[in-house]
Amino acid sequence: MTNNRFDYSPMQGKNVLITGGLGFIGSNIAQRCVELGANVTILDACIEPYGWNFANISEVEQSVEFIKGDVRDRSLLKELIANKDVVFHMAAQVGREISIESPELDVEVNCTGTINVLEACRRNANGVKVVFAGSRGQIGEPITLPVDESHPQNPTDVYGINKMAAEQYLFLYNKIYDFPVVSLRLNNVYGPRCQMHAGFYGILNWFMANAMTGKPITVYGEGSQTRDYVYITDVVDAFLRTALSENANGQIYFVGSGVETVFLDMVKEIVRAVGKGEIKHVPFPKLRDKIDIKRFVVSYQKINADVGWEPQYDLRTGIDETVRFYSERLGDYLAKREVE
Ligand SMILES: NC(=O)c1ccc[n+]([C@@H]2O[C@H](COP(=O)([O-])OP(=O)(O)OC[C@H]3O[C@@H](n4cnc5c(N)ncnc54)[C@H](O)[C@@H]3O)[C@@H](O)[C@H]2O)c1
């Protein structure tokens, strides 16, 4: 770990809205914003099979305002955004296969939901800043590695297409209406507060739960594909730095570890950290085979240059921290574990 200093104190007293704030990334942002003295409102529709979990905010529930509501509800958003300084827009349909099976749902939540956030911002015209969770899924199979912000976008699923469109709406509104926006294109995020009830996303945490509960870890094919795994604390740090930095306004950043990790090596790290786990290789399901990406790793040079961000956790340290968290809190996360 290196010590890259940043002054987070301006977060104190800020009025913050986190859409999807009961989920994995949103709840970790909420936790940190409360620690920094921000006034946090969480909007979450509590939709299955996504990562919402009241256990995610158990430490801060007395300090946050929770609104059960949907980003598809434009009038609710207008009301909620009225007095906000920052919106962390995390709410999303997050399943790649779901996006192909239910493209209309993905359009409604990921595209129209984002337009609703932007419409509420421009109608309130109070200079609120929107920090958006984009995705590596916007890129598809890379042409060159490491992927940076100039890499063309060629998504292999409906989710990636709608994240790409949502990001473009973000910058269109920025250009026309002048309120500040930032898009963070996230890689494979893992760590505490990720759901463990479904394996269709957040695969690292899902495998960890399987290892901890004595269920096989099912790896498609040889597990030779590569990914860029980034630890949640680092991701939260990227959201806060870009929210607080004026020179991040109007910018797109990749947020990743910069380390290309073979999928099977990630699995072996989990087995090491948990101390047990049976790895089982099975053929790729047909749809997954068609949309799977073979290699992925990003450069974080741009976000490093602009806001001084760099990852503080390597994969081994991050996995050890994650195992430590779930060793104490597994029950909170297995409760919803019937969906696959
Ligand atoms: N976790 C990752 O590896 C990763 C990678 C790339 C991008 N992202 C993006 O980061 C964001 C957060 O993802 P996450 O991993 O925390 O997922 P998550 O499922 O844990 O959180 C998403 C939250 O959004 C809520 N939600 C879903 N639809 C909603 C709606 N219509 N209205 C209001 N709330 C709704 C869900 O209930 C859930 O609590 C998403 O936008 C996702 O696309 C995540």
Side-chain angles (χ1 to χ4, degrees):
M1 279 197 211
T2 56
N3 179 19
N4 54 346
R5 296 170 75 86
F6 186 86
D7 180 14
Y8 299 94
S9 64
M11 194 48 91
Q12 182 164 14
K14 286 245 187 311
N15 295 323
V16 170
L17 174 67
I18 307 173
T19 72
L22 284 186
F24 170 36
I25 299 173
S27 64
N28 279 286
I29 293 174
Q31 182 95 17
R32 185 90 173 94
C33 285
V34 167
E35 284 163 17
L36 291 167
N39 306 312
V40 175
T41 302
I42 285 175
L43 172 74
D44 203 296
C46 303
I47 295 175
E48 297 295 358
Y50 307 116
W52 67 275
N53 191 336
F54 285 98
N56 279 342
I57 57 162
S58 57
E59 296 95 330
V60 293
E61 64 189 338
Q62 302 303 324
S63 312
V64 301
E65 179 188 24
F66 169 65
I67 310 280
K68 184 168 178 185
D70 202 302
V71 291
R72 288 169 288 184
D73 180 347
R74 189 177 285 193
S75 56
L76 172 64
L77 279 170
K78 187 164 183 288
E79 200 182 302
L80 285 180
I81 283 172
N83 67 340
K84 298 297 181 290
D85 300 305
V86 183
V87 179
F88 293 104
H89 180 37
M90 302 294 117
Q93 187 303 106
V94 297
R96 299 180 63 204
E97 276 101 338
I98 295 177
S99 79
I100 292 169
E101 280 149 18
S102 308
E104 317 77 10
L105 172 71
D106 202 83
V107 170
E108 282 166 20
V109 177
N110 292 351
C111 263
T112 312
T114 303
I115 291 175
N116 289 344
V117 169
L118 296 170
E119 275 292 304
C121 291
R122 73 115 169 162
R123 283 177 194 281
N124 281 300
N126 61 355
V128 59
K129 181 163 175 175
V130 182
V131 189
F132 172 70
S135 171
R136 74 174 178 93
Q138 295 170 223
I139 299 299
E141 187 70 54
I143 300 163
T144 53
L145 292 172
V147 173
D148 68 15
E149 292 77 6
S150 65
H151 193 290
Q153 301 182 72
N154 190 16
T156 60
D157 51 48
V158 175
Y159 168 81
I161 291 175
N162 287 324
K163 280 284 177 186
M164 179 175 81
E167 186 185 77
Q168 296 204 348
Y169 285 122
L170 194 75
F171 289 101
L172 182 72
Y173 273 69
N174 171 246
K175 195 169 168 199
I176 299 176
Y177 302 111
D178 285 331
F179 58 84
V181 301
V182 185
S183 176
L184 301 188
R185 293 179 181 166
L186 308 176
N187 277 266
N188 287 65
V189 189
Y190 70 99
R193 298 187 177 81
C194 181
Q195 61 79 19
M196 285 182 146
H197 63 269
F200 67 90
Y201 75 103
I203 191 76
L204 190 152
N205 281 61
W206 166 251
F207 281 171
M208 193 174 282
N210 283 6
M212 291 173 105
T213 56
K215 298 207 171 94
I217 297 172
T218 308
V219 173
Y220 297 150
E222 290 174 7
S224 57
Q225 66 273 40
T226 65
R227 295 288 181 268
D228 183 327
Y229 297 100
V230 59
Y231 188 62
I232 183 65
T233 306
D234 286 329
V235 171
V236 171
D237 190 39
F239 274 105
L240 291 188
R241 282 175 185 242
T242 51
L244 292 172
S245 303
E246 273 189 25
N247 60 341
N249 294 354
Q251 298 298 325
I252 294 170
Y253 298 108
F254 272 105
V255 178
S257 66
V259 177
E260 185 178 12
T261 300
V262 174
F263 191 79
L264 191 60
D265 291 343
M266 174 276 287
V267 178
K268 287 176 181 164
E269 273 298 319
I270 292 174
V271 174
R272 175 202 60 78
V274 174
K276 59 180 181 177
E278 179 207 343
I279 302 172
K280 205 169 138 189
H281 291 268
V282 298
F284 265 92
K286 212 169 168 184
L287 176 57
R288 177 53 72 157
D289 197 26
K290 278 195 190 307
I291 65 173
D292 205 56
I293 303 299
K294 291 181 185 60
R295 290 184 64 188
F296 212 90
V297 65
V298 299
S299 160
Y300 60 80
Q301 206 182 337
K302 185 178 173 195
I303 189 167
N304 178 258
D306 285 4
V307 301
W309 181 90
E310 60 181 339
Q312 303 292 295
Y313 290 81
D314 61 24
L315 186 63
R316 175 160 287 197
T317 314
I319 286 180
D320 285 344
E321 288 291 320
T322 310
V323 169
R324 219 186 324 276
F325 175 86
Y326 287 106
S327 300
E328 290 169 11
R329 303 271 304 267
L330 194 61
D332 290 341
Y333 291 86
L334 294 185
K336 294 183 2 181
R337 203 175 145 78
E338 296 313 314
V339 198
E340 195 151 354

